[in-house]
Amino acid sequence: FLGLHFQLEKNWHIYWVNPGDSGEPPRVEWKLPPGVTAGAIEWPTPHRLETPGIVDFGYENSVTLIVPMYPDASLAAEPVQFGAGLKLLVCSREMCIPGKAQLSLTLPVKTQPPLPDPRTAALFATTRKSLPLPMPGSWKVKVGEKSDCFVLTANIGHPITQAVFFAVAESQVSNAGPQRLLPMKSGFQLTLMKSDQLLKPISQLKGVLALSNDRAYLIDVPISKAGSSSSAP
């Protein structure tokens, strides 16, 4: 894994993969050595960044985005250089500043597993704890659709008093709209207002569900139409 670490000034933020009502997420163009391919960025669970009439999703203070790297088995055992062209938007409540940087890192290639680097081990450990988890197999989650909202119902074995859903795709769920939570004996029901920019039907609702136990989970559930039922274990 490689990490992109951002240390932000107070009251400034960067954005999640779905930035919300404004902004844009960091973008990376990799320059990789032959025999190495990059996976997708693994995004920590975001926070709601609220200003009057606008809700964005992103990170304040500091965050590390980690990216899996996949070396070919035939990669020669000699140092290789990784390059990254980074573009990002850093914003406060009053203004936004676009930025870009060219980054590089040279690493040795070894056949044995690498030892943790004490200079960065804590950053990777903290980031991994903040990544959303796969949805447990014991959960029963379904999503119904009404004219103006999606209704997410989850049976997880115990009541939940706080839940926030972050849709991965833009323009599906209203960012600033209320998310009405109805606690139930074995879970909860969460009503999500549709985005005004949702112009055509969608068949799947995918996102991150942050719960009151300070854990977040990846949700990817088919949407059931009126008169039908659909769920994901």
Side-chain angles (χ1 to χ4, degrees):
F1 289 87
L2 291 184
L4 298 168
H5 180 68
F6 301 86
Q7 189 68 48
L8 302 166
E9 296 288 341
K10 186 178 180 180
N11 298 323
W12 289 78
H13 60 265
I14 61 172
Y15 294 92
W16 187 50
V17 60
N18 173 4
D21 286 324
S22 64
E24 60 182 52
R27 304 187 188 280
V28 186
E29 183 176 338
W30 294 104
K31 295 180 181 177
L32 301 176
V36 178
T37 56
I41 292 174
E42 298 188 2
W43 299 88
T45 302
H47 302 285
R48 288 170 62 92
L49 307 169
E50 302 186 25
T51 54
I54 292 177
V55 173
D56 295 328
F57 310 132
Y59 312 100
E60 297 176 299
N61 301 318
S62 66
V63 66
T64 303
L65 307 179
I66 61 177
V67 183
M69 294 288 163
Y70 303 102
D72 190 276
S74 61
L75 194 65
E78 59 185 35
V80 293
Q81 186 176 60
F82 295 83
L86 176 65
K87 293 183 179 180
L88 74 160
L89 192 66
V90 185
C91 296
S92 68
R93 292 178 179 270
E94 292 79 26
M95 62 185 298
C96 290
I97 300 176
K100 60 182 180 179
Q102 292 293 327
L103 309 173
S104 65
L105 180 66
T106 300
L107 294 174
V109 175
K110 299 180 180 180
T111 55
Q112 66 268 33
L115 296 175
D117 187 334
R119 297 171 298 177
T120 59
L123 294 178
F124 281 92
T126 299
T127 298
R128 289 190 171 97
K129 288 181 180 179
S130 65
L131 294 176
L133 300 170
M135 189 172 72
S138 60
W139 285 17
K140 291 182 173 61
V141 178
K142 62 182 181 180
V143 176
E145 182 177 10
K146 297 183 179 180
S147 60
D148 62 344
C149 65
F150 301 108
V151 180
L152 188 155
T153 304
N155 184 337
I156 64 175
H158 56 85
I160 285 292
T161 58
Q162 181 179 343
V164 179
F165 182 78
F166 300 92
V168 167
E170 298 181 51
S171 305
Q172 291 184 349
V173 174
S174 172
N175 303 314
Q179 296 193 6
R180 295 192 294 272
L181 176 69
L182 176 62
M184 299 189 298
K185 183 177 180 180
S186 296
F188 63 93
Q189 186 176 87
L190 189 64
T191 301
L192 308 168
M193 303 305 297
K194 289 182 179 179
S195 170
D196 293 338
Q197 301 175 48
L198 182 60
L199 303 179
K200 58 182 181 179
I202 59 174
S203 60
Q204 202 86 0
L205 188 65
K206 182 178 181 180
V208 172
L209 184 64
L211 300 182
S212 51
N213 59 358
D214 292 327
R215 294 304 310 185
Y217 301 88
L218 295 169
I219 301 294
D220 191 355
V221 183
I223 297 171
S224 62
K225 306 300 180 182
S228 64
S229 64
S230 180
S231 64

